[in-house]
Amino acid sequence: MMNSITSPTSPSFRHAKGQQLADALQGARNYTLSLFDCCAEAGFEALARVPHIATINPPLWELGHTAWFAEWFILREARSSHPADAQHHCLLTRGDDWFDSNLVPHRSRWTLDLPSAGALKTYCHEVHDRVLDKLAREPGTDAALYPYRLALAHEDMHGEALLITLQTLGVQVPLALSRDEPSHTPGAAIRYPGGTIMLGAQEGGFTFDNERAAHQCYVAPFEVDSGVVTNAQFAEFMADGGYQNRQFWSVAGSAWLMQQERSSPRYWQRDGANWRSMRMGRLSTLAPAEPVRHVNLYEAQAYCAWIGRRLPTEAEWEYAALSGQAGFRWGQLWEWTASPFEPYPGFVADRYREYSAPWFTTHQVLRGASFATQARMASARYRNFYLPERDDIFAGFRTCAY
């Protein structure tokens, strides 16, 4: 369980080798298949039954894509994600035409003549068996294990994306699969003296390209909440006219607000004196002390303006998370930061060329992890990134001040 952690509680995938890596790959594949089965049981196996929503993919496409990605980098020994860089043919005659996200525009994924779910599951099992067989013969070097760790991270990310899809579609998910048990957190603030830190990933193991190169960064003294903002705290902002008072909203936030006509976070519903929320297909009363979730960057910024504080930069967040201060708790929700997603000095795109570079400047950095994130993915240096308006993701925020 990832909730309320100050450091990862499971071994990181970044240094996984041998049987540990094989077990993680097996677990990731089982999780993908279990979530897909939830979609199928709710009637969303067929492409035509899935609504055209810009923030999700049809589950059948997700199922095939995750296996295709592992086959591309591991079995087909692709030098990069360029369509011409695979050394071997796909097990599926039209696999590249169906599942290469570089070649298949998002809007067209609902109209593909994909194989049946049964056929794609057979493909998934065949890829997985061959991957494990090949892994058993690999040397334990970072270079040799890079594609396996990449494929594992990719499937873990798509596992969380599938859970977001289920939430978006209102599908009930067994609690054991959603792992949704957010704990209560205090809102006290912690003072940090600042100083020069090494920002970014260190050498050794697996690193994402946007975490490189590690570089020195000066962080001025600052104060930051020990935990993320709660439902009760955000409800005070709402009760004080936070959504109606435009002085708290940025220009972009005001434009989004006018389009949405929003007066509460996504999924919130008024029930007398209480608020309820739809979570994984179940309507439940919101606990006041739980972290507020499904808020976007604009809502987080508006709350900060209302309370007279701000979002932490990603450097401040990383400083606090790596400080060893037990009071700084993270891992319940992804956390919006004040930092646009930009390359670190010396950035060079990795073999998965489209992982970071296309999203620089348009996306915003989130730090931490959520209850839906596999514990092996947790890292205080991990840079997640989304468009500012995304409120479907499992995200919240904490406030900061100088």
Side-chain angles (χ1 to χ4, degrees):
M1 185 63 61
M2 277 285 305
N3 297 330
S4 290
I5 60 174
T6 55
S7 62
T9 56
S10 294
S12 170
F13 84 98
R14 296 169 183 253
H15 298 278
K17 295 183 180 182
Q19 192 59 49
Q20 179 192 352
L21 187 52
D23 291 344
L25 286 164
Q26 183 69 64
R29 181 54 48 87
N30 290 344
Y31 188 60
T32 298
L33 291 169
S34 296
L35 291 180
F36 175 79
D37 287 343
C38 289
C39 294
E41 290 168 7
F44 294 115
E45 175 183 311
L47 298 179
R49 295 286 303 277
V50 182
H52 286 246
I53 300 174
T55 55
I56 67 172
N57 285 306
L60 190 64
W61 186 88
E62 290 267 16
L63 179 67
H65 171 71
T66 52
W68 176 90
F69 188 95
E71 184 191 13
W72 178 268
F73 280 104
I74 298 172
L75 303 182
R76 300 173 67 185
E77 301 177 346
R79 292 183 295 262
S80 81
S81 54
H82 187 281
D85 274 359
Q87 306 298 300
H88 311 288
H89 294 297
C90 184
L91 292 172
L92 297 173
T93 304
R94 298 187 57 201
D96 294 351
D97 296 332
W98 288 325
F99 300 120
D100 188 342
S101 55
N102 294 319
L103 302 177
V104 186
H106 181 265
R107 63 183 179 276
S108 72
R109 295 171 190 174
W110 277 260
T111 59
L112 298 169
D113 55 339
L114 297 181
S116 67
L120 282 183
K121 285 184 177 182
T122 298
Y123 168 64
C124 288
H125 288 305
E126 182 65 23
V127 169
H128 184 67
D129 289 345
R130 295 190 185 199
V131 164
L132 294 188
D133 181 67
K134 189 168 190 245
L135 172 60
R137 301 190 303 274
E138 294 282 10
T141 64
D142 288 338
L145 297 179
Y146 169 86
Y148 298 90
R149 293 167 177 168
L150 174 64
L152 174 59
H154 178 264
E155 185 139 9
D156 279 345
M157 287 184 232
H158 275 273
E160 185 159 353
L162 262 176
L163 201 61
I164 292 170
T165 297
L166 288 161
Q167 166 71 21
T168 301
L169 297 175
V171 176
Q172 285 199 11
V173 180
L175 294 178
L177 287 179
S178 70
R179 305 190 301 275
D180 185 4
E181 299 177 4
S183 60
H184 300 173
T185 55
I190 303 173
R191 186 76 188 171
Y192 291 97
T196 299
I197 64 169
M198 188 63 70
L199 190 66
Q202 311 300 305
E203 295 298 324
F206 179 94
T207 57
F208 292 100
D209 57 9
N210 64 55
E211 298 169 342
R212 303 190 298 266
H215 58 287
Q216 288 191 336
C217 176
Y218 175 72
V219 178
F222 68 101
E223 176 190 277
V224 67
D225 295 340
S226 63
V228 290
V229 170
T230 65
N231 290 324
Q233 290 171 319
F234 200 84
E236 291 179 12
F237 163 71
M238 294 161 53
D240 198 35
Y243 277 89
Q244 292 73 42
N245 194 332
R246 294 301 169 84
Q247 77 178 69
F248 303 131
W249 296 79
S250 66
V251 173
S254 293
W256 171 83
L257 196 58
M258 290 180 64
Q259 293 172 347
Q260 301 296 317
E261 298 183 355
R262 187 71 62 83
S263 59
S264 64
R266 183 169 180 161
Y267 302 120
W268 281 36
Q269 301 177 23
R270 172 67 82 177
D271 181 20
N274 299 315
W275 286 97
R276 307 182 81 188
S277 179
M278 187 65 70
R279 293 186 180 177
M280 299 302 166
R282 301 178 181 86
L283 192 62
S284 58
T285 300
L286 286 170
E290 283 185 355
V292 62
R293 68 170 73 170
H294 295 301
V295 288
N296 65 22
L297 176 68
Y298 304 133
E299 291 168 297
Q301 290 173 328
Y303 176 91
C304 289
W306 170 75
I307 205 170
R309 291 169 69 83
R310 60 178 176 82
L311 293 174
T313 66
E314 64 170 323
E316 289 170 330
W317 194 98
E318 187 167 318
Y319 177 110
L322 292 173
S323 68
Q325 167 61 259
F328 187 87
R329 305 175 74 82
W330 60 276
Q332 296 169 274
L333 296 170
W334 292 104
E335 300 179 29
W336 291 105
T337 73
S339 301
F341 184 49
E342 295 176 338
Y344 284 165
F347 169 84
V348 177
D350 224 328
R351 288 166 62 181
Y352 183 12
R353 304 176 311 154
E354 298 77 24
Y355 178 65
S356 302
W359 320 116
F360 287 141
T361 71
T362 58
H363 288 49
Q364 195 82 2
V365 172
L366 297 94
R367 288 303 196 102
S370 83
F371 63 86
T373 309
Q374 294 288 351
R376 58 179 166 259
M377 289 286 290
S379 169
R381 300 189 189 277
Y382 183 79
R383 306 176 77 199
N384 204 352
F385 48 94
Y386 279 101
L387 287 169
E389 62 267 24
R390 290 288 296 269
D391 57 8
D392 58 315
I393 58 178
F394 304 120
F397 65 99
R398 71 182 73 216
T399 72
C400 185
Y402 290 115

